[in-house]
Amino acid sequence: MNIAVAAANSGTPWLTVAGGIPLLGAILVALLPTQFAKVTALLFSVADLIWVIVMATQFNTSGPTFQFTEEYSWIPQFGVHYALGADGIALVLIGMTAVLMPVVILASWHDTDGALDPGGTTPRTPREEVKRSPKIYFALMLVLDTMLIGTFAATDVFLFYVFFEAMLIPMYFMIGSFGVGPRQYAAVKFLLYSLLGGLLMLVAVIALYVYSGQSAATGHQGTFIFYTLAHVALSSAAQKWLFLGFFIAFAIKAPLWPFHTWLPDATASAQPGAAVLMLGVMDKVGTFGMIRYCLELFPDGFHYFTPVILVLAVISIIYGAIVAIGQTSMKRLIGYTSISHFGFIVLGIFALTSQGQSGATLYMVNHGFATGALFLLAGFMIVRRGSDKISDYGGVQKVAPVLAGLFLISGLAGLSLPGLSTFVSEFLVLVGTFSRYKVAGSFAVAGIVLAAIYILWMYQRTMNGPTVESVAAMPDLRPRELLAVVPLVALIIAMGVYPKPVLDVINPAVNATMSQVHATDPVPAHPAAAAQKGTQP
């Protein structure tokens, strides 16, 4: 395996600073008076976004696979390093995280303000009528930002595991302390499922360290460095077991059917902003881990379990879509649509074609923006009406046309309408899948039809028809809310029309991954050659 890596510890510590800015912001938010918490959190998230944008401009698409690398000894007795680096796949996910964080903070401005909406007149969803500290809520968001960037950037497997588990803590409190409904049950269920997956991965991480200490490739020294582990020769049986340890943890995080059952409860109980961070960013750690670790470290295990995982992916696509159609809650509906979308992402990864891998990575980014916009707009409606029941709405477009219009665009992105960002990624996934697994691709296409049903039916029931009395006085989007959502809708349109800049960053990393596992795209037989072969004696 040949992994090109830029010289470690050279130049500006881009990734450390990218993770350090929100962490510093979280500390200041916790220390400053309450009235400064929101503004401070927003300023630090914007500063982090600017830093990541500048970092992205320094990425050389024709350079080494991993860039912005840093490596320092952390626990030398066990070969643990503070090692960071980003290829094109990690870079676009870090960029997605940096974009969504200020958007979510701005949209969540009043999530801790008590039981009334921003205007102070309409009851919110039933909750404890107490004010909850915005300092804690927004500090947790910034800590989660640091953990997510660290997870995508870690090139030491042990460090990755630390970030992978640590990011559960802020989300647990964001659901359990600041959510609605049976939030404590949802938070505990989310945590227990994730910890179970993490425990399995920890066993696999320790075993991987032991195997590396027995390998001549590491000089018989145990290590957790990803680049070195990629050269460790493992038996086929060992790869299969280690693959399962990592994959189950990532399948729970993604989530993939049948490991998904924590998601609907967590989605329904979380505040809209927290749900966006969970669905739009945290869950991508699972699919990112499948590409980075399951594929690149355990190619034999990857190939062995691919048929089963393709079946699970197709079931996720169809199951998530069918169950979404039957939902009466907007939050749960959007949660189940994400199970369907993650089925497409997993399908693209395990098709093991360059189109499928590129499409899956692009799908992660596009899903974050499209689902983020849709969930935030649904959250604005829920705050105004005090209910997430679809049946409590009707005729919203007559009283809030801007909200309805942006909701429609975000929904159409969810069903992959041509011209919007998710169409490009879904098309690449299906092309990549059809070229190798035609049956799986054929079943997956059903997800497109089902997506049209659940999105358009939700829009029709909430936005069209006569205006129900309970929403007759609903105000349209306020300037702050527009400022939060419009950038996401603009990105959905821009990346649907011109995805090339993002694909140019993703494709070299995909090609390097394909090369490491000695995989090539299927070459379709030329009709003339096939006919000539058929006429030969």
Side-chain angles (χ1 to χ4, degrees), residues 75-80 209 222-224:
I75 310 176
Q77 294 86 347
F78 299 103
V80 179
Y209 173 80
T223 184
F224 291 101

Side-chain angles (χ1 to χ4, degrees), residues 106-301:
L106 199 56
S108 305
W109 209 253
H110 294 289
D111 280 359
T112 57
D113 285 357
L116 297 179
D117 76 347
T121 58
T122 306
R124 283 186 171 180
T125 307
R127 64 171 74 184
E128 296 177 359
E129 300 212 5
V130 295
K131 280 195 172 184
R132 290 168 289 185
S133 172
K135 293 174 59 172
I136 304 301
Y137 189 63
F138 290 101
L140 288 171
M141 282 190 178
L142 292 174
V143 171
L144 179 61
D145 192 8
T146 296
M147 298 299 111
L148 289 167
I149 291 174
T151 305
F152 292 130
T155 53
D156 181 283
V157 179
F158 185 84
L159 181 65
F160 170 84
Y161 174 78
V162 170
F163 282 124
F164 183 85
E165 293 288 82
M167 70 181 178
L168 302 177
I169 299 172
M171 183 55 69
Y172 169 78
F173 286 108
M174 289 171 70
I175 298 172
S177 298
F178 296 90
V180 296
R183 60 182 186 272
Q184 293 169 343
Y185 166 78
V188 170
K189 189 175 182 180
F190 158 78
L191 187 64
L192 290 179
Y193 268 69
S194 300
L195 288 177
L196 174 62
L199 180 62
L200 294 175
M201 187 169 72
L202 177 60
V203 173
V205 166
I206 294 173
L208 192 60
Y209 173 80
V210 172
Y211 280 119
S212 70
Q214 300 171 353
S215 172
T218 63
H220 299 287
Q221 296 291 324
T223 184
F224 291 101
I225 293 295
F226 171 77
Y227 320 123
T228 307
L229 291 173
H231 293 83
V232 173
L234 299 173
S235 68
S236 180
Q239 288 197 41
K240 292 172 186 176
W241 284 109
L242 295 179
F243 174 91
L244 279 179
F246 278 83
F247 176 79
I248 293 174
F250 296 145
I252 291 173
K253 185 69 67 184
L256 184 70
W257 184 92
F259 308 99
H260 69 285
T261 55
W262 63 268
L263 181 68
D265 293 316
T267 302
S269 296
Q271 293 285 357
V276 170
L277 294 178
M278 181 171 59
L279 293 173
V281 187
M282 272 191 68
D283 290 354
K284 306 298 167 44
V285 172
T287 45
F288 168 78
M290 292 178 191
I291 297 174
R292 172 69 77 249
Y293 299 102
C294 291
L295 172 59
E296 301 190 28
L297 293 182
F298 317 114
D300 287 353

Side-chain angles (χ1 to χ4, degrees), residues 307-343:
V308 175
I309 295 170
L310 290 177
V311 172
L312 297 182
V314 171
I315 293 175
S316 291
I317 293 170
I318 298 175
Y319 167 83
I322 291 175
V323 177
I325 294 172
Q327 295 304 304
T328 59
S329 159
M330 280 193 286
K331 282 185 172 183
R332 284 184 175 271
L333 188 151
I334 298 171
Y336 277 108
T337 66
S338 291
I339 295 173
S340 183
H341 292 312
F342 275 100

